[in-house]
Amino acid sequence: MTTTPLALVTGGNRGIGYATARQLAARGMTVLVGARNADRGAAAVAALRDGGADARPLPLEVTDPVSVAAAAEQVEREYGRLDVLVNNAGIVRADGMARPSETTLATLREVFETNVFAVVTVTNAFLPLLLRAPAGRIVNVSSEVGSITAMTDPESFLWPLTSVPYPSSKAALNMLTAMYAKELRDTPVRVNAANPGYCATDFNGHSGYRTAEQGAEVSVRLATLAAGGPTGQLWGHLAADDSYGVLPW
């Protein structure tokens, strides 16, 4: 067992997840890289180790309850606790021209399966281990498009967006964050949603204007909050003035 703080990053083999794993390791944590593809997970871990990180692979398909249970059992057996859980794995899909009237139930279900239902599965599986940590941290990687306030503001740069699956999944994730924070408010566990901002990754064809490293800074900040830090917030990049802060729900 390791005596250093232990973090799990789902979808940690690329993009913001990989950058998050690297930054947490640089802060002295042992990082479990959750990946559904064993080869990609191993390659990511090898690259992290080459950079000096204490990174270890963890096979994890977040949409498969059997895989999630097996991963939680492995962490229980090998480490006995978990200090940080970063629910980073996510997908984006849209139909047609991304109008609500073109949305199919198949696409909606696919997105919610990973972005919402899987977060509940993973969080519930690892929560007993997080409660054993001196100060457990749960970070749900969300998005500003999950802010109903921002998406319905005609003055917001998000106003032109009309897609249903991804934004609604992140709005649901924000509510999950708020509810878990309420349940755990009298424990040392802090639960927050991270807005990394529009980052250039494989996720969006590298069209973002922020780097994966900049996006990861948000998750890392929330993963390393001091005892008694804020909980139940959507926090991260504020596009209006390129700063960091609390975003409206």
Side-chain angles (χ1 to χ4, degrees):
M1 292 188 180
T2 178
T3 57
T4 61
L6 182 68
L8 165 59
V9 181
T10 68
N13 59 291
R14 64 176 185 169
I16 294 173
Y18 178 83
T20 300
R22 183 166 57 191
Q23 291 180 28
L24 289 174
R27 286 174 172 254
M29 294 190 185
T30 296
V31 181
L32 304 177
V33 177
R36 61 183 178 181
N37 183 291
D39 291 340
R40 292 174 183 171
V45 166
L48 288 166
R49 286 177 175 171
D50 285 345
D54 182 6
R56 307 177 189 185
L58 184 68
L60 179 58
E61 169 51 79
V62 297
T63 62
D64 180 1
V66 174
S67 174
V68 173
E73 289 169 5
Q74 180 178 337
V75 175
E76 160 79 44
R77 183 174 62 254
E78 296 181 1
Y79 305 100
R81 73 175 202 291
L82 182 66
D83 296 275
V84 173
L85 170 61
V86 181
N87 285 309
N88 170 82
I91 63 171
V92 61
R93 300 283 189 275
D95 298 299
M97 298 299 291
R99 300 186 183 98
S101 58
E102 297 174 309
T103 303
T104 66
L105 289 182
T107 297
L108 197 61
R109 288 188 178 110
E110 181 184 9
V111 172
F112 268 66
E113 193 69 47
T114 297
N115 295 2
V116 182
F117 306 150
V119 172
V120 174
T121 304
V122 172
T123 301
N124 288 353
F126 285 93
L127 186 55
L129 298 174
L130 286 158
L131 287 168
R132 294 179 192 170
R137 299 289 177 262
I138 300 173
V139 181
N140 295 328
V141 180
S142 187
S143 169
E144 55 209 341
V145 302
S147 167
I148 297 176
T149 299
M151 289 287 278
T152 55
D153 179 2
E155 301 302 317
S156 170
F157 76 100
L158 298 172
W159 174 255
L161 300 179
T162 58
S163 179
V164 168
Y166 185 73
S168 65
S169 75
K170 292 305 183 180
L173 180 61
N174 291 345
M175 181 60 78
L176 287 181
T177 301
M179 295 302 103
Y180 274 102
K182 284 174 64 176
E183 178 183 352
L184 298 168
R185 63 188 180 278
D186 295 326
T187 77
V189 179
R190 306 284 91 181
V191 189
N192 290 288
N195 174 42
Y198 192 35
C199 300
T201 65
D202 293 344
F203 200 69
N204 54 35
H206 295 268
S207 60
Y209 59 87
R210 283 167 55 78
T211 66
E213 289 72 21
Q214 288 174 316
E217 290 173 359
V218 177
S219 292
V220 171
R221 185 88 63 91
L222 294 173
T224 56
L225 289 172
T231 191
Q233 293 184 347
L234 171 59
W235 188 91
H237 184 248
L238 303 175
D241 58 3
D242 194 26
S243 63
Y244 290 120
V246 177
L247 285 81
W249 292 123

